[in-house]
Amino acid sequence: MKKLPFVLASLLTGICFGFSTQVIGQNSFSLEEVMSNSFPSSLVGDAHNQRVAWVFNERGIRNIWVAEAPDYVGKPLTQFTEDDGQEISNLQFSQDGTRILFIRGGAPNRQGEIPNPLNSVQLADRSIWQVFFKGGDPEKLLEAGNYTLHPSQNVIAYAKGKSVFSFDIDTQKEPRKLFTGRGSPRTLRWSPNTQNPSLALVSTRGDH
């Protein structure tokens, strides 16, 4: 490839540099604008195609939003007001369609510690919550970070320690232990059989 004369190359470099400086100046933005950008995630729909729900992160404040048929106009369902770094995940509609279940709190590290970005003296936890469509504040049901909803009942199966429990979200009676294994149960899933469903899971061991 033939090289450009030095003078012409210098001139082109200067023009490009001036143009890029002008473009950057016209499209500059602050770090605050970047960090405060809002975005949705974790979109889910109900079984009757009447509602969709998602997590909306606005300036670090996470809330659940919902939109209903036929207009599907989004509105907040929860009213958390603090940027505390606590994730919202695993959104599931209850079988009767009256509420949303979700997990609040990040995954633990190797020491079992839940993220606590604010260094609060009140340690964060990872819990299963519910919030009703008719209104009211979100309600914490129990501390757990892994659950699945029964295919025909308002009953969840969840893992804690080496055990798996069932919990009726309507009566909220004492959880019933289903079984205890040698490993740590994770990724619980009910089969779609509504009459007599089976429960599948992953058992994580220390060495296999």
Side-chain angles (χ1 to χ4, degrees), residues 23-42:
V23 170
I24 293 174
Q26 291 177 347
N27 297 278
S28 62
F29 47 83
S30 66
L31 180 60
E32 181 181 359
E33 289 174 325
V34 175
M35 298 299 292
S36 63
N37 188 39
S38 304
F39 57 91
S41 62
S42 307

Side-chain angles (χ1 to χ4, degrees), residues 108-188:
N109 60 18
R110 294 182 179 179
Q111 287 72 41
E113 302 166 334
I114 302 299
N116 184 19
L118 297 183
N119 291 321
S120 173
V121 294
Q122 184 176 357
L123 295 179
D125 60 30
R126 197 176 195 212
S127 305
I128 302 172
W129 292 61
Q130 67 176 3
V131 59
F132 286 85
F133 295 114
K134 65 181 181 181
D137 295 330
E139 176 188 7
K140 183 165 72 171
L141 297 175
L142 42 83
E143 289 189 20
N146 187 356
Y147 82 96
T148 184
L149 183 65
H150 192 281
S152 61
Q153 304 173 17
N154 281 335
V155 174
I156 60 175
Y158 69 94
K160 191 169 185 180
K162 296 181 179 297
S163 301
V164 174
F165 299 82
S166 67
F167 180 73
D168 190 315
I169 63 176
D170 288 331
T171 63
Q172 298 192 23
K173 293 181 179 180
E174 188 72 18
R176 180 169 67 94
K177 182 185 289 188
L178 300 180
F179 58 87
T180 299
R182 294 182 61 186
S184 298
R186 303 178 186 275
T187 320
L188 305 177

Side-chain angles (χ1 to χ4, degrees), residues 9-128:
S10 300
L11 179 60
L12 289 175
T13 302
I15 292 174
C16 292
F17 178 77
F19 176 75
S20 62
T21 304
Q22 183 179 9
V23 170
I24 293 174
Q26 291 177 347
N27 297 278
S28 62
F29 47 83
S30 66
L31 180 60
E32 181 181 359
E33 289 174 325
V34 175
M35 298 299 292
S36 63
N37 188 39
S38 304
F39 57 91
S41 62
S42 307
L43 179 68
V44 294
D46 70 352
H48 308 289
N49 299 318
Q50 294 297 311
R51 293 188 178 100
V52 292
W54 63 94
V55 178
F56 196 48
N57 187 328
E58 186 173 13
R59 295 180 177 271
I61 302 173
R62 296 170 174 87
N63 275 292
I64 297 175
W65 281 56
V66 64
E68 303 182 61
D71 300 327
Y72 290 104
V73 177
K75 62 180 180 180
L77 192 59
T78 60
Q79 300 291 337
F80 296 113
T81 59
E82 189 175 18
D83 178 11
D84 55 7
Q86 299 306 311
E87 295 183 17
I88 293 179
S89 60
N90 200 3
L91 275 62
Q92 295 189 39
F93 288 86
S94 62
Q95 295 299 348
D96 60 2
T98 61
R99 74 204 88 169
I100 280 278
L101 300 171
F102 62 98
I103 290 177
R104 190 162 192 265
N109 60 18
R110 294 182 179 179
Q111 287 72 41
E113 302 166 334
I114 302 299
N116 184 19
L118 297 183
N119 291 321
S120 173
V121 294
Q122 184 176 357
L123 295 179
D125 60 30
R126 197 176 195 212
S127 305
I128 302 172

